[in-house]
Amino acid sequence: MATYHAGAASSENLGLNKPLIEPANEADIELMVVPSQRVAKMTKQKYLEDFFNKGIIQLGTYDLFRNAGNPEVRDHQEGVVTLIGQGYNRTAWGRFQGGDSNYLFCTYLGDPDPAVVRAFEYETCYYIDDPVGFASAVGAALGAQSYSFGKCVYCQEKALIGELKPEYSFERMDRRTIEMVGEAMHFVKPVRYSHQMEFRFAWRVPSDVKGSLIVECPDAVKFCSKK
């Protein structure tokens, strides 16, 4: 379920020539692009063995991350973003909470910094060598409607700016507005988490989900390798 506060105005009225915030740009979020760096999943040794022996992984949700005990994991703004749409010399904005119908899997882009591994209370990592194959296998195990993955973009204010679609009506600001930037809103994070170098996987399911989910997916193992 999405909740929002919204409005619309001309660019001049909003003073966008002197922005109060510096949002991430939708164009900077490269979804479904396999990175040149390695994609590493930080974990504990026991969970690494569970994955390679049985295909067991734990997926998270925005609810889980908003309420996590470990401050390195906890982000009260998960699933919440300010969307700014520009077009036709006007600007529409809205602060949304959505995406709760997604299961998430957070990884590290490159070889993990040992300090970050310790902060997450992990011990080791493994590599996802084929992000497309991995995402597809997990999606099949979940019966997911769709999946996406990409490198997270960090900004001071959790805001995302993009071009409005031609059919957008400035008279209305609702769930359809989320679609103007599609899945990109799920890959914007506050800059204080930038040291995490997150590469995120998201699987959309038919209804909202909470907590964590243990999934047994042996088919995903062949797309990964040990450190």
Side-chain angles (χ1 to χ4, degrees), residues 4 11 48 63 86 108 135 150 158 171 178-179 185 221:
Y4 62 91
S11 298
L48 181 148
D63 168 75
Q86 290 185 313
Y108 190 102
K158 194 173 178 185
E171 305 296 322
I178 296 179
E179 297 174 1
M185 65 173 287
V221 177

Side-chain angles (χ1 to χ4, degrees), residues 82-102:
T82 297
L83 300 181
I84 304 169
Q86 290 185 313
Y88 321 106
N89 198 39
R90 300 195 72 186
T91 296
W93 62 270
R95 186 164 178 81
F96 292 84
Q97 178 173 328
D100 284 314
S101 59
N102 286 267

Side-chain angles (χ1 to χ4, degrees), residues 52-86:
F52 282 96
N53 292 333
K54 302 176 184 178
I56 294 174
I57 58 174
Q58 177 176 292
L59 305 179
T61 61
Y62 285 133
D63 168 75
L64 177 71
F65 298 149
R66 285 193 291 263
N67 298 288
N70 184 337
E72 194 70 18
V73 179
R74 184 175 60 248
D75 179 0
H76 296 302
Q77 291 182 285
E78 281 285 18
V80 179
V81 67
T82 297
L83 300 181
I84 304 169
Q86 290 185 313

Side-chain angles (χ1 to χ4, degrees), residues 51 55-59 105 126 134 138 213-217:
F51 174 64
I56 294 174
I57 58 174
Q58 177 176 292
L59 305 179
F105 194 67
Y126 60 87
F134 177 84
V138 174
L213 179 70
I214 302 297
V215 179
E216 191 167 332
C217 184

Side-chain angles (χ1 to χ4, degrees), residues 4 13-14 19 29 43 47 54 95 112 145 151 185 194 206:
Y4 62 91
N13 290 342
L14 283 179
I29 299 179
T43 186
Y47 301 145
K54 302 176 184 178
R95 186 164 178 81
Q145 295 176 318
K151 176 183 177 181
M185 65 173 287
S194 61

